[in-house]
Amino acid sequence: MHHVGVLALDGVFPFELGIPARIFGAARDETGSPLYTVTTCGLDGRPVRTAADFDLAVTRDAGLLADVDTVVIPPSESLGAVREHGTLPEPLRAALAAIRPGTRVVGICTASYVLAAAGLLDRRRATTHWREADRLQRMFTTTRIDPDVLFVDDGDVLTSAGVAAGIDLCLHLVRRDHGSRVANEVARSCIVPPWRDGGQAQYIRRPVPEPAATGTAATQAWALERLAEPLTLADLAAHAHTSVRTFSRRFREETGTTPAQWLTRQRLDLARHYLETTDWPVPLVAQRSGLGTGASLRQHLHAAIGVGPQAYRRTFRPS
């Protein structure tokens, strides 16, 4: 079973600390057996002060990190020299140095400072909370900080934006490990959206349209029932009874992406579902999901997760 170790630093934010246990802990295989075990540790095994009005009783120390498959570091309000000068206190440096090569390392929100100070983000792309992005970039010039995304998957090192983006990143890892069926069940169990692409904008100025009648939610629902059809921007705007320009503006304000990008993501998610649950040939999967041709499906799937349809099906189709 895949073992996830969560390192709670002094000043840890309780919400983000609970994300790994909640998301990975909800992942089950077809028999109902857990797919992950999650263990929380502190640097020295003593109670950890949180950013809230309580302490956390932790019985494991950071020696745990040498034996796990994935290390998750939630953000802390007390990063001190890590955030101010880019240097790690010796106990934290030693704990990170003991992580085995090949272990997956995840930083949520400002934990990106910890990963950067440890050298884990050198010559890599990463993200953090949008308020900290400029500062992090100035401090660690060999890292390319992208302030406009929810998370960055750089293989064995992953980073997320602030707060709820940690949920998106952990769901992404479940999907990467076990496919969309398991990830969707986790999302359903936790009552969160099953898929917000890592490239979605962090900060949406109007996340909910003020008058419901002028929003695009109804048109999104309408489009989801017609993904196999050749929907155009004009079709979407006509359904919303507005101009193309107004619809495009409202859609971006509400979702942080364009209608075309949103449609592609929905169609790709549907195609992944078909690859996991049917024996349809790749061209038929592409047609039924609205991606057109097998070549188009291969291009989009490879761009999203780095594999083609057949490799994806071999990995995630239950035997």
Side-chain angles (χ1 to χ4, degrees), residues 191-206:
I191 317 178
V192 295
W195 176 250
R196 291 200 302 167
D197 184 74
Q200 180 172 323
Q202 283 192 34
Y203 182 59
I204 303 169
R205 292 184 179 274
R206 270 183 49 199

Side-chain angles (χ1 to χ4, degrees), residues 213-254:
T214 65
T216 65
T219 298
Q220 293 177 45
W222 175 81
L224 287 173
E225 297 297 323
R226 296 164 176 79
L227 291 177
E229 300 176 16
L231 298 173
T232 66
L233 181 56
D235 294 331
L236 299 176
H239 180 272
H241 304 292
T242 187
S243 69
V244 167
R245 181 175 180 180
T246 299
F247 179 82
S248 298
R249 175 177 54 79
R250 287 177 181 166
F251 196 94
R252 181 177 281 279
E253 287 174 347
E254 293 173 24

Side-chain angles (χ1 to χ4, degrees), residues 8 10 29 62 74 80 108-109 119 133 139 144 161 164 183 198 204 215 220 223 233 243 248 261 285 292 309 315:
D10 266 336
D29 65 16
I108 298 176
C109 191
M139 290 180 64
R144 183 161 64 91
I204 303 169
Q220 293 177 45
L233 181 56
S243 69
S248 298
Q261 291 168 336
V285 170
T315 300

Side-chain angles (χ1 to χ4, degrees), residues 42-126:
L43 284 177
D44 54 14
R46 298 176 181 175
V48 175
R49 181 180 57 81
T50 74
D53 61 345
F54 57 86
D55 291 344
L56 183 70
V58 176
T59 59
R60 300 292 300 272
D61 64 26
L64 169 79
L65 304 184
D67 299 318
V68 300
D69 304 296
T70 294
V71 172
V72 180
I73 307 177
S76 163
E77 69 171 3
S78 305
L79 290 177
V82 181
R83 181 179 179 274
E84 296 301 321
H85 309 294
T87 58
L88 296 174
E90 179 54 29
L92 180 53
R93 187 207 63 77
L96 298 178
I99 296 174
R100 293 174 301 168
T103 300
R104 191 162 58 187
V105 182
V106 178
I108 298 176
C109 191
T110 55
S112 296
Y113 279 103
V114 176
L115 271 55
L120 297 175
L121 299 183
D122 288 352
R123 294 179 294 280
R124 289 181 184 263
R125 180 170 165 259

